[in-house]
Structure formats: structure tokens, C-alpha cells
Amino acid sequence: KDGEEGYPGDLTVAAVYTVTDDNALRVVFTATTDKDTVCNLTHHSYFNLAGKGNILDHVVYLNADKFTPVDSTLIPTGELRPVAGTPFDFLTPTPIGAHINETNNEQIKFAGGYDDNWVLNKTSPGELSLAARVYDPASGRTMEVWTTSPGVQFYSGNFLDGTITGKDGKVYQFRYGFCFEPQHFPDSPNHPEFPTTELKPGQRAKSILLLIGI
């Protein structure tokens, strides 16, 4: 509703989930408003392709040359920092655990692992393109993430502590799951150089996410 959580306008949102014939989950978000507002919708499911244990051996590829570093409160500073030569470089497929404990890296220390937004490589804004691929050597499972969004938040389960119980009674312990959250960059309204999240009356926000099992 207008004013809820401080946001102006009545925001009307739809999320449509479709299971496709080619083993993919397709998620389409749409939103309209009756006042100028901001809107940044995403998908926050946890995954563990092994089905058990931690996710540190999962091998990740992220189609991004840059990421948005954060301050100590995990809010982006506005910089677009190259991933080259940092623990945030997943252009070459790399196990999640390879650099996750490098607390000499300020960004790793702030988040206690990975909880950052990557700036996706796009040939044109809004194109549906590959954002991430993750492979679990133990099970042989692979998942691809495709999105129309300009960024993806990669979260490595740093704050999981055993208080959440999932499917079949399995408890989510520390780093037992990961998330890929396609999105606009966090804190975009305060960084004019970021792609805008402003939504006006008469406009229709739309984003598409594909999660493909291989």
C-alpha cells in the first residue's frame, strides 16, 4: 500500500512461476504503481546441488567483470570495481570455498564471505543472458542462471546458523546453501550512476529469471 515501509504509491506486483519442458524454472516479475516509487524485485531461494553438507566445493562461474563493493554496513559505495586479481573473480570457474575465508580482503571480512552484487556483462540493457553457472562435483548437477536484470547478488550462506529447517527436515547450517539473486544494484536510488530502479505511473517494470538444471 501507499506509504508501507516508507515507499510511495500503491505497488501492484505479480510473480509468475513456470516449469518448462526443458528442465527450467522461469520466473517473471511485473510491477505497476500509481505514484513515482522505486522497485527492485528478486528471487531469494537457497540451493545446494549436493543436497547435503556445505556448498564450498560447488564450482561457480559469474559472467561479470566488475562488482559493487560495500562499506562496513554492506551498502554499496557507488564504485564499480574490477574483479580481476580479487576473490570476486569467477570468470574462471572457481570453488566457492577457494577464497571465502580470505579475511585480509576487506570485502570478504565485511560480509563474512560472499554477499555482494556483481555487474553482469550485457551486450544490451535488459537482454536475457547468462549470469551464473554452478556445478557440484559430488552429484554432477549443474544449474545455470539467466536474467534480464543488470546485476546478481551472490550469497554464500554466511548467516545460516541452524535455526532454519528446510525440506525433509534438513537443517540449514553455516554455508549449507547459496543464493543467486538477479536484481538491480542495491542502493540504486542513492547512486545516479547505477541503472535506475525508479518506476512511474503508466510504466510496467518487468524482469525475467531462468533457472536451468543441466
Side-chain angles (χ1 to χ4, degrees), residues 32-214:
T32 57
T33 182
D34 59 4
K35 290 184 181 179
D36 290 0
T37 191
V38 290
C39 182
N40 188 6
L41 305 173
T42 190
H43 181 272
H44 188 69
S45 288
Y46 286 97
F47 291 92
N48 182 322
L49 301 188
K52 60 183 179 180
N54 65 52
I55 43 80
L56 298 181
D57 290 335
H58 286 51
V59 178
V60 167
Y61 165 78
L62 282 168
N63 184 21
D65 295 324
K66 298 177 182 177
F67 74 108
T68 54
V70 297
D71 60 23
S72 60
T73 65
L74 302 184
I75 300 299
T77 63
E79 178 187 359
L80 303 181
R81 184 177 297 176
V83 300
T86 77
F88 297 84
D89 188 352
F90 287 93
L91 285 166
T92 299
T94 303
I96 294 174
H99 305 289
I100 200 170
N101 294 315
E102 293 185 8
T103 52
N104 58 322
N105 180 282
E106 185 179 60
Q107 295 297 304
I108 293 287
K109 184 177 181 180
F110 283 159
Y114 295 109
D115 192 4
D116 299 87
N117 172 73
W118 271 254
V119 180
L120 296 174
N121 296 328
K122 297 275 187 180
T123 57
S124 61
E127 72 165 338
L128 180 63
S129 59
L130 178 66
R133 182 184 297 112
V134 58
Y135 167 69
D136 172 48
S139 65
R141 297 187 181 106
T142 296
M143 183 178 73
E144 289 187 346
V145 181
W146 291 64
T147 182
T148 56
S149 298
V152 64
Q153 188 88 5
F154 170 36
Y155 173 56
S156 54
N158 315 320
F159 302 109
L160 294 176
D161 59 4
T163 59
I164 299 175
T165 300
K167 187 176 180 180
D168 297 328
K170 293 183 178 178
V171 176
Y172 291 7
Q173 302 287 359
F174 181 55
R175 293 179 179 161
Y176 267 40
F178 66 88
C179 301
F180 285 121
E181 304 160 55
Q183 60 179 7
H184 275 68
F185 308 164
D187 203 34
S188 287
N190 295 312
H191 299 287
E193 66 277 16
F194 286 0
T196 184
T197 54
E198 186 177 20
L199 182 62
K200 295 178 176 292
Q203 296 178 336
R204 180 171 176 262
K206 182 178 180 180
S207 60
I208 300 172
L209 162 66
L210 280 177
L211 300 170
I212 304 174
I214 299 175

